[in-house]
Amino acid sequence: MKAVLGLEDGEFVVGEGFGAEGSCSGELVFTTQMTGYMEALTDPSYQGQILMFTFPLIGNYGVDHHNFQSPIVHSLGCVTREVCTHPTVKPSIIDFFEENGLYGITGVDTRRLTIKTRQHGTMRAAVIVGSDDGEEAVKMARSAPDIAAQDLFPQVSCKEPFHIPGPGKRIAVIDLGIKKNIAVSLQKRGADLYVYPYNATPAEIDRCDPEAIFITNGPGDPKQAKDAIAAVKHYLGELPVFGICMGNQVTALALGAETYKMKFGHRGSNQPVRHMNGSIYITTQNHGFAVDGDTLPEGCRVAYENVNDGTLEGFCNDDLDVLCVQFHPEAHGGPHDTERPIFDLMYRRIA
């Protein structure tokens, strides 16, 4: 089956399609992780994006539903150099894409396109499966909306509040697109979780009498999370506030700091981060926006920074009892360097 990937700059690449016939358009991003392809595809933070894998082969161990980070695939499409046709475990990713109406293109020089993205920045793109009409793919790419202009949270957040009972401290979770393993990491520490939609008000959240507020990861521009920003402002100085990925950015915005769109973002499970004590951790990341550390207000400290480019990877404010990280310590898939220290520290900070 023919397929084509078109870019907004006019380039198109013809490859082989897998999955369903059809098309999608959105921001093309790349991830450097070598395993955990299904964890990436089911990460709600990829909503609105076409995901390209830099590792040349995906699908060699089939589709493992146990490791999904949400019930469905959120990336609009998948771009890869090669997809395995005979995996060690079934179903294959090809069969899974076909059965679930998903769009994939393989046979693409992903290394060249990754270098191009690093040089020129992320671009809008389109994938058409079942056609090699490059001009149409470019046209679709150019008409795709800018991800910064989209409010993607209604598509990934829970529709109604729900409770994950535990014997320990009550944490109100604002769900901007939560990964399953964030909840698992909190549960392992005994947390009593009350999960609320992206637009929950403080009055609604207060019904569970929370002892801390936790803001999750999520897709797109953090400035679109207006309700979550307002909720965090309400609780600052009243309750401990924790955030991961989008939660880091939302909390910074609530404090009056600024965020900005990165040239190509950080996505993958091999991102080096330096703690302020000099320790280096290898982390999993998935974000295209970052906090401008220079705009954080007095009382905030940059606790983590990216070794490769110096961007902010986490901050804290002891007076307000705030602790946030940009990377994903729940580590699924990815290294486990930060799971225990980050979640243990967050949980201990709750009085």
Side-chain angles (χ1 to χ4, degrees), residues 17-217:
F18 63 96
E21 289 192 27
S23 62
C24 61
S25 58
E27 185 179 57
L28 178 68
V29 298
F30 66 85
T31 177
T32 58
Q33 63 197 85
M34 295 181 285
T35 61
Y37 47 84
M38 290 311 304
E39 288 93 325
L41 290 165
T42 56
D43 182 345
S45 297
Y46 282 117
Q47 185 74 36
Q49 296 174 321
I50 297 170
L51 181 57
M52 177 169 65
F53 290 89
T54 61
F55 192 71
L57 173 70
I58 69 166
N60 55 309
Y61 54 87
V63 175
D64 179 6
H65 289 81
H66 175 73
N67 288 317
F68 280 26
Q69 290 304 296
S70 68
I72 63 171
V73 167
H74 286 278
S75 62
L76 300 172
C78 175
V79 180
T80 181
R81 176 68 182 87
E82 181 182 356
V83 63
C84 182
T85 57
H86 297 89
T88 56
V89 178
K90 293 187 179 297
S92 70
I93 195 171
I94 295 174
D95 292 338
F96 178 81
F97 265 52
E98 185 174 347
E99 292 167 3
N100 289 275
L102 305 171
Y103 308 122
I105 180 171
T106 188
V108 173
D109 187 347
T110 53
R111 176 171 294 184
R112 183 184 66 80
L113 288 180
T114 298
I115 293 171
K116 179 174 182 173
T117 302
R118 285 179 59 88
Q119 291 172 340
H120 300 285
T122 53
M123 288 183 286
R124 292 171 296 166
V127 172
I128 305 177
V129 179
S131 169
D132 60 359
D133 189 344
E135 292 184 0
E136 178 62 21
V138 169
K139 181 180 177 181
M140 288 179 58
R142 289 172 173 168
S143 63
D146 188 329
I147 197 163
Q150 301 178 62
D151 181 2
L152 300 169
F153 303 115
Q155 300 176 52
V156 298
S157 179
C158 61
K159 306 306 179 187
E160 299 289 338
F162 64 94
H163 182 209
I164 305 175
K169 300 164 183 175
R170 286 185 308 281
I171 301 176
V173 178
I174 299 178
D175 176 15
L176 302 180
I178 189 172
K179 289 177 66 179
K180 181 181 77 173
N181 252 56
I182 288 178
V184 169
S185 289
L186 292 170
Q187 282 180 281
K188 285 196 304 186
R189 286 152 180 87
D192 189 25
L193 302 178
Y194 289 80
V195 185
Y196 292 91
Y198 72 100
N199 57 353
T201 65
E204 293 169 319
I205 295 170
D206 283 342
R207 291 171 190 165
C208 76
D209 192 21
E211 297 172 83
I213 306 297
F214 189 103
I215 305 92
T216 75
N217 60 294

